[in-house]
Amino acid sequence: MKISYEMQSVINRQINNEFHSAYIYMTMSAKASEMNLKGFANWFEVQAKEEFYHAEGFIKYLIDRGGIVAAPAIDAVDSSWTSVEEMYKASLEQEQKVTADIDAMVALAHAEKDFASVEFLNWYVREQVEEEATASEILEQIRFAKSAPCALMFLDKQLGKRKLEKPEIWE
Ligand code: OFO
């Protein structure tokens, strides 16, 4: 079954969303570096690269289904955060937005009886559960650590250990 124009259009929009997420996280990484929080900077950089993989997954899928990849401009990033707490708050909001977009795509795939897209999108549905949970967990830890600077330093050290792993569906 050929992929519908509407599904192509929402996938293209999502490719753009994923690159925008990558841009946001790369900017957060730069801001954390400016604050000398190298561990947070590492965490955001790894996250940016994961977002790039997410975009790549959609691109490959669209091509496999005979679709056309559009390449609209990526929105600028509002980088007015003044703390890592604000960055993780923004991160959680961004992930909640992405989750809503993915859910809408799944609903469209079901409505069109496009079961290949349903199956493909399921990976992203599960991924978003993890993305939201992680952003929310780190945000809570930052809030706990706020009254104790050494706790924030410890968290920075922990986040510095994060390494990039290629998502299993692209291996
Ligand atoms: Fe691609 O998951 Fe975050 O935005």
Side-chain angles (χ1 to χ4, degrees):
M1 181 180 109
K2 191 160 169 32
I3 194 164
S4 73
Y5 286 115
E6 195 174 354
M7 184 58 76
Q8 287 190 54
S9 147
V10 294
I11 290 176
N12 270 306
R13 188 194 61 201
Q14 193 55 29
I15 291 167
N16 194 272
N17 279 345
E18 300 289 351
F19 280 131
H20 188 236
S21 291
Y23 195 13
I24 291 172
Y25 285 120
M26 221 41 227
T27 309
M28 287 176 172
S29 176
K31 292 286 151 196
S33 284
E34 287 166 17
M35 295 172 188
N36 277 318
L37 292 167
K38 301 282 191 263
F40 282 95
N42 171 69
W43 192 95
F44 286 127
E45 185 183 338
V46 171
Q47 186 62 31
K49 289 174 179 167
E50 273 203 4
E51 299 298 351
F52 189 90
Y53 280 138
H54 296 171
E56 190 185 6
F58 279 112
I59 290 170
K60 286 184 173 162
Y61 177 71
L62 197 48
I63 293 168
D64 284 349
R65 294 289 311 277
I68 304 288
V69 175
I74 298 164
D75 287 343
V77 175
D78 172 8
S79 60
S80 53
W81 318 288
T82 58
S83 65
V84 284
E85 182 179 1
E86 284 178 15
M87 290 184 217
Y88 277 93
K89 200 166 162 288
S91 159
L92 182 58
E93 284 164 7
Q94 171 70 8
E95 294 309 334
Q96 286 166 338
K97 183 188 163 301
V98 170
T99 300
D101 289 338
I102 302 270
D103 287 351
M105 293 168 79
V106 175
L108 175 66
H110 276 289
E112 292 185 344
K113 294 192 170 30
D114 177 354
F115 300 115
S117 291
V118 171
E119 176 61 22
F120 171 75
L121 288 166
N122 277 340
W123 184 88
Y124 287 88
V125 171
R126 289 193 299 277
E127 178 70 4
Q128 282 312 117
V129 172
E130 198 188 306
E131 301 263 285
E132 282 194 39
T134 306
S136 155
E137 190 184 303
I138 298 173
L139 181 57
E140 283 307 306
Q141 288 169 348
I142 292 168
R143 284 174 177 160
F144 274 127
K146 247 187 2 196
S147 49
C150 61
L152 193 69
M153 287 301 105
F154 177 76
L155 188 54
D156 187 61
K157 209 173 172 50
Q158 291 302 108
L159 297 177
K161 293 180 188 160
R162 184 181 186 193
K163 289 199 174 18
L164 181 64
E165 284 168 31
K166 199 163 190 178
E168 73 275 15
I169 58 166
W170 283 276
E171 291 189 338

